[in-house]
Amino acid sequence: MSLSQPITRDKNLWAIGIFVLIGAVALPLLNSAGVVADFQLNTWGKYLCYATLAVSVNLLWGYTGLLSLGQALFFALGGYAFGMYLMLMIGEDPNYHTRLPDFMDFMGMQELPWHWKPFENAGFAVLAVILVPAIVALIFGFLAFRARIKGVYFSIITQTLTYAAALLFFRNEFTFGGNNGFTDFKEMFGLSLYTSGTQRGLFIASALYLAACLFFNWWLTRTKFGKIQQAIRDSENRVRFSGYDTLNYKMLIFTAAAVIGGVGGALYVPQVGIINPNEMMPAKSLEAVVWVAVGGRGRLWGPVIGAILVNAIKSWATVQFPNYWLIMLGALFLFVVLFMPAGIAGIPSQFKHWRKKMASRREMPAEPVKAAEPVAEVETAKSST
């Protein structure tokens, strides 16, 4: 889209506005009227959080050309940071008569570890949701991009990072709940998590946050920074030879994507009621890549469509065909790669291209049919040779 085009004519902005009306106004009103069940609203809230993870993958892969296979790590770090606060809000354990999280009681701990104490403050926990993924991404990004690791090597090293972190969180002595992680949350900011009103508020917050992420992506791709970001995707060497320091651009994008995913994880945890190391396993990051590929890489709405559609199919398939879900997911990915390279969001442009191609073929003048040479002349020519 041209920068000179008036913003009010941008269809994406109108679509974001309609999404806010449906997600933050219509669905919550229908839920309060009893038309939409609490369970359905909670499930859709989970899908919206996954969509923010897909948006962060698209920011890296679709717009910058950095295929990260460890983006679920930042989603889980945001979830853990907010989960620590939720665990400390559970209150006194009726069996052990302490205010420690239950897994600490199982481990025989007598007092809260030093790194848990600041999370008794809600403000610190919210700040940590942003800062923890950002700091990890900044350190990793500096080391990786400074060493000019890119392409398939970057994908492998991000996958290794998230796998190593998952193994660390699986260990009980790491004081993050081990296998079970955090669960049994009861309240948040003084509000009970078991009430419809709180869950409705979390759904509205998820919808507004996803809309804000989409607006950020829309705005970023219109700026000079966004143009350079896309130029890095197309040819990083040319950008570097033009005098731009691609290291700083990639570090900022990588950190921004980590924060987007981290805040999405923090909204996900109170709605689902659990966070454990499985959320940062490489398989989760690969799923997020599939969401983006199915929805449409490098398109604003592609990751949202892909995340919601694939997770909705997953919810249905894991009940109806629990043993075949992964096969179905693989088949869906192959179908999209082979026949829909631009994903679902690219179907209109793909159809438009096909129509133009067919129209040009119809308008092309037919080649005149060459008249057959008289048989006698041909025979004469052959005999003379």
Side-chain angles (χ1 to χ4, degrees), residues 366-380:
E367 290 185 7
V369 179
K370 200 171 182 179
E373 297 178 3
V375 178
E377 292 180 8
V378 173
E379 292 298 329
T380 306

Side-chain angles (χ1 to χ4, degrees), residues 117-181:
K117 290 181 180 176
F119 287 87
E120 291 177 318
N121 183 290
F124 181 87
V126 171
L127 197 63
V129 165
I130 298 170
L131 289 182
V132 172
I135 292 171
V136 173
L138 203 60
I139 295 171
F140 175 81
F142 176 77
L143 296 174
F145 298 133
R146 187 180 171 82
R148 295 194 178 177
I149 295 173
K150 57 184 179 181
V152 67
Y153 300 104
F154 178 77
S155 302
I156 291 171
I157 201 169
T158 50
Q159 192 173 41
T160 306
L161 174 71
T162 191
Y163 187 58
L167 292 180
L168 192 63
F169 275 77
F170 270 121
R171 299 175 70 90
N172 286 326
E173 62 269 27
F174 196 51
T175 70
F176 288 97
N179 270 354
N180 298 322

Side-chain angles (χ1 to χ4, degrees), residues 13 34 40 47 56-57 60 71-72 107 123 152 192 195 210 220 230 240 299 339 342:
L13 278 185
Q40 289 175 322
Y47 293 165
S56 73
V57 172
L60 285 174
Q71 203 61 16
M107 294 170 64
V152 67
S192 171
T195 63
L210 178 56
L220 190 67
Q230 293 169 67
R240 193 182 299 118
R299 294 173 183 273
F339 301 106

Side-chain angles (χ1 to χ4, degrees), residues 176-206:
F176 288 97
N179 270 354
N180 298 322
F182 304 157
T183 188
D184 198 26
F185 309 128
K186 288 184 170 55
E187 66 174 51
M188 176 186 74
F189 306 135
L191 302 170
S192 171
L193 288 171
Y194 298 117
T195 63
S196 299
T198 306
Q199 290 299 324
R200 202 178 301 133
L202 284 167
F203 177 83
I204 293 171
S206 302

Side-chain angles (χ1 to χ4, degrees), residues 109-364:
M109 298 177 73
Q110 300 298 319
E111 61 177 18
L112 204 62
W114 64 269
H115 56 279
W116 273 76
K117 290 181 180 176
F119 287 87
E120 291 177 318
N121 183 290
F124 181 87
V126 171
L127 197 63
V129 165
I130 298 170
L131 289 182
V132 172
I135 292 171
V136 173
L138 203 60
I139 295 171
F140 175 81
F142 176 77
L143 296 174
F145 298 133
R146 187 180 171 82
R148 295 194 178 177
I149 295 173
K150 57 184 179 181
V152 67
Y153 300 104
F154 178 77
S155 302
I156 291 171
I157 201 169
T158 50
Q159 192 173 41
T160 306
L161 174 71
T162 191
Y163 187 58
L167 292 180
L168 192 63
F169 275 77
F170 270 121
R171 299 175 70 90
N172 286 326
E173 62 269 27
F174 196 51
T175 70
F176 288 97
N179 270 354
N180 298 322
F182 304 157
T183 188
D184 198 26
F185 309 128
K186 288 184 170 55
E187 66 174 51
M188 176 186 74
F189 306 135
L191 302 170
S192 171
L193 288 171
Y194 298 117
T195 63
S196 299
T198 306
Q199 290 299 324
R200 202 178 301 133
L202 284 167
F203 177 83
I204 293 171
S206 302
L208 291 176
Y209 177 63
L210 178 56
C213 292
L214 290 169
F215 180 79
F216 173 74
N217 274 12
W218 172 85
W219 168 80
L220 190 67
T221 51
R222 291 168 59 91
T223 62
K224 181 184 174 184
F225 186 97
K227 300 298 179 190
I228 295 170
Q229 171 196 0
Q230 293 169 67
I232 291 173
R233 175 193 63 189
D234 298 334
S235 178
E236 184 178 349
N237 286 335
R238 287 188 182 180
V239 177
R240 193 182 299 118
F241 293 150
S242 300
Y244 293 99
D245 188 351
T246 58
L247 167 68
N248 292 333
Y249 283 92
K250 291 197 290 187
M251 275 178 54
L252 283 173
I253 288 295
F254 193 64
T255 306
V259 172
I260 289 174
V263 176
L267 287 166
Y268 169 85
V269 169
Q271 294 185 82
V272 178
I274 187 170
I275 179 74
N276 59 38
N278 286 322
E279 293 297 335
M280 64 174 72
M281 286 295 284
K284 185 64 76 175
S285 296
L286 288 171
E287 275 190 38
V289 170
V290 173
W291 302 340
V292 176
V294 170
R297 174 194 170 200
R299 294 173 183 273
L300 187 68
W301 288 93
V304 179
I305 294 169
I308 293 176
L309 179 69
V310 174
N311 278 291
I313 295 174
K314 181 181 181 180
S315 298
W316 170 78
T318 48
V319 174
Q320 300 295 328
F321 308 101
N323 296 327
Y324 300 102
W325 157 241
L326 288 178
I327 297 173
M328 293 169 70
L329 182 65
L332 178 66
F333 182 68
L334 281 176
F335 178 81
V336 168
V337 169
L338 292 175
F339 301 106
M340 297 161 55
I344 294 171
I347 288 177
S349 58
Q350 197 172 351
F351 183 68
K352 194 182 292 181
H353 175 72
W354 177 77
R355 282 187 61 188
K356 280 185 180 176
K357 192 175 177 182
M358 294 302 293
S360 63
R361 281 187 181 178
R362 281 196 297 271
E363 292 170 2
M364 190 179 295

